[in-house]
Amino acid sequence: MAAFPSLADRPIKNTICLFDVDGTLTPARKRASPEILQLLTALRHKVAMGYVGGSDLAKQQEQLGTAAAPVTSMFDFCFAENGLTAYRLGQPLASHSFIGWLGEEKYQKLINFVLRYIADLNIPVKRGTFIEFRNGMVNISPVGRNASAQERDDFEAYDKKAKIREDLVSKLRAEFKDYGLTYSIGGQISFDVFPTGWDKRYCLQHVEAEAKQDGGIKYDTIHFFGDKTFTGGNDNEIYEDPRTIGHSVNGPEDTLRIVKELFNL
């Protein structure tokens, strides 16, 4: 495995690049290309680097890691579930729990509403795993996360016209308006539900905490790259945050182009 300069010795000082995963580093739910992995290795020799994704660490290992290299060794910072599960230089940081925050009673009311709603939906296909419980959020998929790659593509195209996810999110906002939850559409087939403030901006507290460590680094320049940067997309809040320089991309090839131009790679 390549040896990288320490964080303090990266040539471009006080700068970190954060990447969304699906649609930015990889095609949705697929593996990163060799070209992307080579780019990330080259970039890490210049600046601090991390990813921030809504999925859990196991899925990010499938997409970004290899049999020989855990994903936590490939980035300086790994922010799974928007940073609710976080690693710095391979070591875990403090984590928080969605269920601990919301409570079982409210959680069951939310989930029961979703299951009844999806049961009554008439859509081209339904598969399995309509709700995925994660440490920092719940992921809801009207078609089901067990859908095949082709079925995911088909649902994404269908949803752009039928607005299945948008309509369900509107219903949830109205029904549970006092729960303090945010609903964020991302990827092809699902949306995330999490406490307001636990969007991808959550990971920035870990970045800012670096300056408080002995000999720590204050990251004055935070580049963020994401594809779902539109209002309601799960990259929107961090993309528009004044602490970041946002780059909206149209897929991994676009990410390659922009990063190469920015950092002369």
Side-chain angles (χ1 to χ4, degrees):
M1 186 178 299
F4 299 98
S6 69
L7 292 175
D9 292 329
R10 302 290 162 91
I12 302 176
K13 304 296 183 185
N14 306 106
T15 298
I16 185 170
C17 291
L18 297 175
F19 297 90
D20 166 54
V21 180
D22 280 346
T24 300
L25 292 179
T26 77
R29 291 297 297 123
K30 296 177 183 175
R31 286 196 54 78
S33 68
E35 292 79 13
I36 281 284
L37 296 180
Q38 289 164 12
L39 177 79
L40 294 174
T41 297
L43 181 64
R44 195 176 177 190
H45 282 283
K46 288 196 167 190
V47 299
M49 190 183 72
Y51 73 78
V52 51
S55 295
D56 59 29
L57 191 66
K59 290 186 179 66
Q60 289 149 6
Q61 172 64 29
E62 292 173 6
Q63 292 176 267
L64 298 169
T66 68
V71 68
T72 52
S73 72
M74 298 170 65
F75 294 80
D76 301 307
F77 297 92
C78 297
F79 298 129
E81 300 184 56
N82 295 348
L84 273 298
T85 298
Y87 284 77
R88 176 190 185 273
L89 299 176
Q91 298 302 310
L93 302 174
S95 65
H96 292 88
S97 160
F98 173 75
I99 194 69
W101 181 89
L102 185 63
E104 186 66 31
E105 183 179 355
K106 286 184 174 180
Y107 173 73
Q108 288 204 24
K109 288 180 181 177
L110 174 73
I111 295 310
N112 290 344
F113 181 93
V114 170
L115 289 172
R116 282 192 292 267
Y117 186 95
I118 292 176
D120 291 334
L121 272 180
N122 287 313
I123 55 178
V125 298
K126 287 182 186 176
R127 293 301 177 250
T129 313
F130 301 104
I131 297 170
E132 184 175 80
F133 179 78
R134 301 173 181 169
N135 181 56
M137 67 182 71
V138 172
N139 180 266
I140 295 170
S141 173
V143 68
R145 296 193 63 86
N146 291 2
S148 69
Q150 184 60 56
E151 288 165 344
R152 286 167 177 259
D153 290 342
D154 293 344
F155 178 81
E156 182 180 31
Y158 175 78
D159 191 45
K160 285 177 180 176
K161 298 177 181 178
K163 309 292 185 186
I164 299 297
R165 288 182 291 178
E166 274 189 34
D167 290 347
L168 177 48
V169 164
S170 294
K171 296 283 195 307
L172 289 170
R173 284 193 176 118
E175 183 72 18
F176 301 101
K177 56 183 178 293
D178 60 337
Y179 272 28
L181 295 172
T182 291
Y183 306 87
S184 186
I185 295 172
Q188 295 178 290
I189 61 167
S190 65
F191 61 92
D192 297 327
V193 184
F194 47 81
T196 298
W198 287 21
D199 52 62
K200 287 183 178 174
R201 291 173 297 182
Y202 189 92
C203 77
L204 297 178
Q205 65 183 273
H206 295 301
V207 175
E208 292 174 330
E210 284 294 297
K212 301 172 185 175
Q213 301 201 28
D214 290 339
I217 300 165
K218 185 176 187 295
Y219 289 110
D220 298 312
T221 303
I222 304 173
H223 291 277
F224 171 76
F225 302 82
D227 68 314
K228 296 288 191 298
T229 57
F230 51 83
T231 301
N234 65 357
D235 296 324
N236 175 257
E237 293 89 354
I238 189 171
Y239 172 78
E240 293 192 345
D241 192 282
R243 292 170 290 180
T244 69
I245 300 169
H247 305 274
S248 188
V249 304
N250 295 313
E253 296 79 11
D254 205 25
T255 304
L256 274 168
R257 178 185 61 79
I258 295 171
V259 171
K260 284 179 177 180
E261 290 176 0
L262 278 174
F263 297 101
N264 298 313
L265 295 171

